[in-house]
Amino acid sequence: MAEKREYRMEELARLAGITVRTLRFYRERKLIPPPRREGRIAWYDDQHLARLRTITALLERGHTLSGIAELAEAFDHGRDVGDLLGVGGPTEEEPVHLTPEELADHFAGEATPENLAAAMELGYLGTDGGEIVHVSRRLLDVSSALVHEGIPLAEVLGAAQQVRTHADALAELFTTLVLRHASPEDLPRLRPLARSVVEAELSLALDRRMRGQD
């Protein structure tokens, strides 16, 4: 394992391409986490460097310092990856690690504090050190594609909350059905059947909906 690097304030500012005065300002605004103190010396690490580079990138994309401060607070106080994924982790979904800059790129400038908070509330996002973790690559790709089609991220997340409610009800229905006639050990084996039923029924429902629009 690589040894953790630490930097004095002057070196950190130089590596981040900012002035020491700007670094102090960011620290006072709580845009970066507090440094490690050793007497009167403040030590910063690679997470601080990554955050500073992210701040610069977000400013270049038109975000305000106030908005970045709210994003930083959400990152620092969001659920960590262990809480998000649980002990065993998702059995089928692939988690995705993202920097704040990459998250902003995925959602075309709509990674606002309000949308980020909504995604965290849904359990889509958690934090892992200086990175963000999205619980599902498929959900990330779909939501990003919808945003790029012109649908506001806030509305995508609102729809996701409704889908979550229906999905929980479907999971309860399937689990109850199986457990009425089989054991809990059979659930993983029969799980693909539940997914196939839902996919087929949704496909048929979309057909009916589109015919109704003709």
Side-chain angles (χ1 to χ4, degrees):
M1 183 180 295
E3 184 178 351
K4 181 179 178 180
R5 294 190 62 186
E6 290 191 308
Y7 313 96
R8 298 282 289 269
M9 178 179 286
E10 293 78 7
E11 184 182 11
L12 179 69
R14 178 178 58 79
L15 291 171
I18 60 176
T19 65
V20 171
R21 181 178 180 181
T22 298
L23 175 54
R24 288 198 180 99
F25 174 72
Y26 288 167
R27 190 176 69 186
E28 290 167 1
R29 290 287 301 271
K30 295 183 169 48
L31 293 173
I32 62 174
R36 182 180 71 83
R37 292 277 178 186
E38 191 175 275
R40 300 185 63 181
I41 301 175
W43 290 101
Y44 300 84
D45 58 26
D46 286 329
Q47 288 188 20
H48 292 97
L49 180 57
R51 176 68 64 84
L52 290 170
R53 287 172 173 168
T54 295
I55 291 170
T56 299
L58 292 175
L59 286 172
E60 290 174 351
R61 285 164 171 76
H63 288 259
T64 65
L65 280 177
S66 295
I68 294 172
E70 293 182 32
L71 285 171
E73 184 178 5
F75 297 148
D76 293 338
H77 295 90
R79 285 180 291 177
D80 65 27
V81 64
D83 293 335
L84 178 68
L85 301 180
V87 176
T91 56
E92 295 183 341
E93 298 307 306
E94 177 191 357
V96 184
H97 286 71
L98 302 158
T99 64
E101 179 185 348
E102 289 169 337
L103 184 67
D105 287 340
H106 266 285
F107 294 109
E110 291 202 38
T112 63
E114 295 80 9
N115 287 336
L116 184 63
M120 287 182 167
E121 182 67 24
L122 273 169
Y124 283 177
L125 296 179
T127 56
D128 183 13
E131 288 187 315
I132 303 163
V133 180
H134 195 292
V135 72
S136 167
R137 180 174 294 280
R138 288 196 294 181
L139 288 174
L140 174 64
D141 290 344
V142 168
S143 55
S144 177
L146 289 171
V147 168
H148 284 277
E149 287 291 332
I151 302 175
L153 181 56
E155 293 188 33
V156 172
L157 293 171
Q161 182 61 67
Q162 296 182 58
V163 171
R164 169 71 57 81
T165 299
H166 293 301
D168 284 342
L170 289 168
E172 178 66 23
L173 175 65
F174 177 76
T175 302
T176 300
L177 174 65
V178 170
L179 293 181
R180 194 156 54 231
H181 303 281
S183 68
E185 289 73 21
D186 292 314
L187 282 170
R189 180 173 58 83
L190 298 176
R191 176 175 175 156
L193 300 180
R195 187 174 62 246
S196 294
V197 169
V198 172
E199 289 176 352
E201 284 289 358
L202 180 58
S203 178
L204 292 170
L206 288 169
D207 287 343
R208 292 191 295 271
R209 185 73 175 177
M210 287 187 286
R211 283 198 298 270
Q213 299 299 315
D214 292 340

